[in-house]
Amino acid sequence: MATVSADRQLIDSLARIVGADNVLATPQARSAYANDQWWYAIAAAAAGQAVSQPDVAVSPTTPEQVAAVIKLANQLKIPVTPWGGGSGVQGAANADRGGIVLDLKKLNRVRTIDRKSLTCVVEGGKVCKVFEEELNAEGLSFTHYPASTEWATIGGSVAARGSGVLSTKYGKIEDHILNLEFVTPTGELVTTPSVPRHAVGPELTQLLVGAEGTLGIITAATVKLHYLPKKRTFVVAGFERLADGVAAGRAIMTTGLKPPVMRLYDADAASHSLARAVETPLEQATLVMMFDGEYPELVDLEASLSARLCREHGGVMLPERIGEIWWEPYARELPSIWGTVDVVADFDHIEAVYEETTRAIRAACPAEYNLSLNTHFSHWYEWGSMIYARMKIPTGPADLTEAKELHDAIFQAGVEASLRAGAVMNDHHGVGIRLAPYMPAQYGEGMDTLRRIKQALDPNNILCPGKLNL
């Protein structure tokens, strides 16, 4: 699909739908929506070569307006790229084919709160942090705390199949969602069945979760809520061998204990990024856990049982204060190159995935670039875990093309090594532009099924053309 320019007729047509004040034409649209938080999108925009080249941006205020914009785009064969908070790190929000950026942040109402069912209907443009603060004032919590919570929206989190720091107990975003309201690629407004536990055919809600805008535009969701916990406590353990920390984590997860936070840092990450964050010298692999809940005695019991399992696997208890001040810094200076290879696997493969992926990333970067790699096991499941391999090159090549080639070579090495070792290539950041080339390797013959779904739902290839390699 060729890139288009926003002519007067298009601008006037959009203004009739959303109001003139909610339409932003070129060049303002290209300035306001020049990049998300993908490293290359930021670097390219800074170099005057922005990946995102929208011809016009619109900010609808109702789902019906979203539907009308999509119908207009189909009539004119113009691509549409949804935009939430612009906080994604894989490039999904960039309008790399031009056309319309659909900014959804004005769809930000909390429509209803059901205190009996502990559910809430919230619109897709609601910012996660604002939503959480409003719920906290009511004694409630959404429990989805992405690192980008100040910018990420509910719809963006769903579209990217995102996760938050409390996922080990409360689940990833797909576990928070009961149903969705969305606009199809041809402009129909659809609401999926009200609850996900049913036997009335396939779960249509989950087709949209993780689709990154390619199969529909999420306008609202019914989400699960929880009460604010009455108690929160931390357990921190050091391990001489990373494998012992993995074994302790596996024992915790497979015996029914549920720490909302469980992060295992390898020795490099513990002695550098974690030690700086908590202002405590650390030399060994370090496991940080948090426990919370409505019943303080149950929280204490879970914490003590988990500590016991850590000791049984060679762990040494460290001060709880480390957990209390735990956080994750993320520096983003140009011309540095940064990014995270986050891959997920079952317990049978995860240690090999860690070894092979981190080895491949280090080998792919020439020594003169002084690569730093901090890796931890960030989100845990009853069947496995994931590794969060955060790489940074303090000063990359000055030439943007050369810098991107280096960045892409590192990611290629990491992703391909993880796939060979038995992993799935992403846990919670999505695919976007960065990982789209590896979708066929991940899905195999399944890519044909995905493409046929895309073609059937989006015959004019309007929504996010090329994203997810579709």
Side-chain angles (χ1 to χ4, degrees):
M1 184 178 296
T3 300
V4 297
S5 294
D7 57 22
R8 189 74 254 168
Q9 183 179 0
L10 172 60
I11 293 170
D12 290 344
S13 297
L14 291 169
R16 284 193 290 271
I17 296 172
V18 302
D21 291 344
N22 290 321
V23 179
L24 197 62
T26 307
Q28 290 84 2
R30 293 189 176 181
S31 175
Y33 302 93
N35 59 271
D36 62 2
Q37 295 303 300
W38 173 32
W39 164 79
Y40 181 67
I42 294 173
Q49 303 174 39
V51 175
S52 187
Q53 292 282 321
D55 297 286
V56 62
V58 296
S59 298
T61 58
T62 68
E64 291 77 15
Q65 290 180 357
V66 175
V69 170
I70 297 301
K71 288 180 179 177
L72 177 65
N74 273 275
Q75 294 169 12
L76 301 176
K77 305 295 190 293
I78 297 173
V80 177
T81 303
W83 183 281
S87 60
V89 295
Q90 305 288 51
N94 292 283
D96 57 322
R97 305 287 180 95
I100 300 170
V101 160
L102 192 67
D103 188 332
L104 298 163
K105 287 194 294 295
K106 291 187 178 180
L107 271 74
N108 58 13
R109 295 183 303 132
V110 173
R111 294 182 186 173
T112 62
I113 294 178
D114 179 348
R115 286 187 170 272
K116 181 176 287 187
S117 307
L118 280 185
T119 64
C120 173
V121 180
V122 58
E123 291 184 335
K126 190 75 169 181
V127 172
C128 291
K129 182 179 181 181
V130 175
F131 184 44
E132 183 66 25
E133 289 172 345
E134 292 177 2
L135 290 172
N136 290 173
E138 302 287 331
L140 301 170
S141 175
F142 182 38
T143 67
H144 178 66
Y145 298 170
S148 56
T149 188
E150 293 186 27
W151 309 279
T153 61
I154 300 298
S157 297
V158 175
R161 199 179 285 273
S163 190
V165 297
L166 306 183
S167 70
T168 301
K169 177 177 180 179
Y170 297 105
K172 293 173 73 253
I173 192 68
E174 60 264 35
D175 303 305
H176 290 68
I177 303 300
L178 274 70
N179 83 323
L180 292 175
E181 175 189 274
F182 70 97
V183 175
T184 71
T186 48
E188 294 79 31
L189 188 60
V190 175
T191 301
T192 64
S194 59
V195 295
R197 297 293 185 263
H198 61 72
V200 290
E203 181 47 69
L204 185 57
T205 296
Q206 290 299 324
L207 183 64
L208 273 292
V209 179
E212 299 185 25
T214 61
L215 303 180
I217 307 293
I218 296 164
T219 53
T222 303
V223 302
K224 296 189 296 185
L225 304 179
H226 295 84
Y227 295 116
L228 278 175
K230 285 191 169 63
K231 181 166 185 178
R232 181 171 290 156
T233 191
F234 291 85
V235 173
V236 185
F239 294 88
E240 186 174 342
R241 298 191 320 137
L242 181 68
D244 292 335
V246 174
R250 176 183 174 278
I252 289 165
M253 293 303 300
T254 57
T255 56
L257 299 172
K258 288 288 186 180
V261 172
M262 186 160 72
R263 295 206 171 185
L264 174 62
Y265 294 79
D266 68 11
D268 283 342
S271 62
H272 292 92
S273 61
L274 181 61
R276 287 195 300 269
V278 300
E279 301 175 352
T280 303
L282 298 168
E283 297 180 356
Q284 297 180 321
T286 303
L287 180 63
V288 179
M289 292 180 286
M290 183 270 282
F291 298 84
D292 71 4
E294 182 75 6
Y295 303 103
E297 59 271 34
L298 182 58
V299 175
D300 290 339
L301 180 59
E302 280 200 295
S304 65
L305 289 172
S306 296
R308 187 178 78 186
L309 286 172
C310 288
R311 287 191 292 269
E312 289 176 357
H313 287 85
V316 176
M317 293 300 105
L318 299 176
E320 184 177 345
R321 181 183 66 86
I322 292 173
E324 293 172 349
I325 62 173
W326 165 85
W327 68 291
E328 287 191 83
Y330 194 172
R332 296 180 173 182
E333 307 90 5
L334 294 173
S336 67
I337 299 173
W338 66 83
T340 300
V341 179
D342 64 302
V343 301
V344 58
D346 57 31
F347 285 123
D348 191 40
H349 292 88
I350 192 62
E351 290 184 62
V353 169
Y354 165 82
E355 295 290 345
E356 296 302 319
T357 303
T358 53
R359 182 184 299 119
I361 291 171
R362 292 185 187 280
C365 185
E368 62 264 29
Y369 288 113
N370 195 27
L371 172 82
S372 67
L373 183 64
N374 291 316
T375 304
H376 60 274
F377 295 68
S378 185
H379 302 273
W380 295 71
Y381 310 95
E382 295 89 344
W383 41 263
S385 184
M386 58 83 66
I387 65 164
Y388 196 98
R390 176 182 294 157
M391 70 89 175
K392 180 179 177 182
I393 296 171
T395 304
D399 179 79
L400 181 62
T401 300
E402 293 179 9
K404 186 173 187 299
E405 288 174 351
L406 177 59
H407 165 278
D408 291 353
I410 293 170
F411 263 79
Q412 179 178 355
V415 170
E416 291 182 350
S418 72
L419 290 174
R420 287 194 302 271
V424 172
M425 70 178 184
N426 195 265
D427 178 74
H428 62 270
H429 283 135
V431 175
I433 297 174
R434 173 148 55 189
L435 296 183
Y438 309 105
M439 285 289 281
Q442 177 65 77
Y443 273 88
E445 293 300 319
M447 275 302 295
D448 182 60
T449 301
L450 289 178
R451 288 178 176 135
R452 281 191 274 174
I453 293 171
K454 169 68 170 174
Q455 185 176 18
L457 294 178
D458 190 4
N460 293 314
N461 200 22
I462 294 300
L463 289 185
C464 307
K467 301 292 173 57
L468 296 182
N469 209 322
L470 298 177

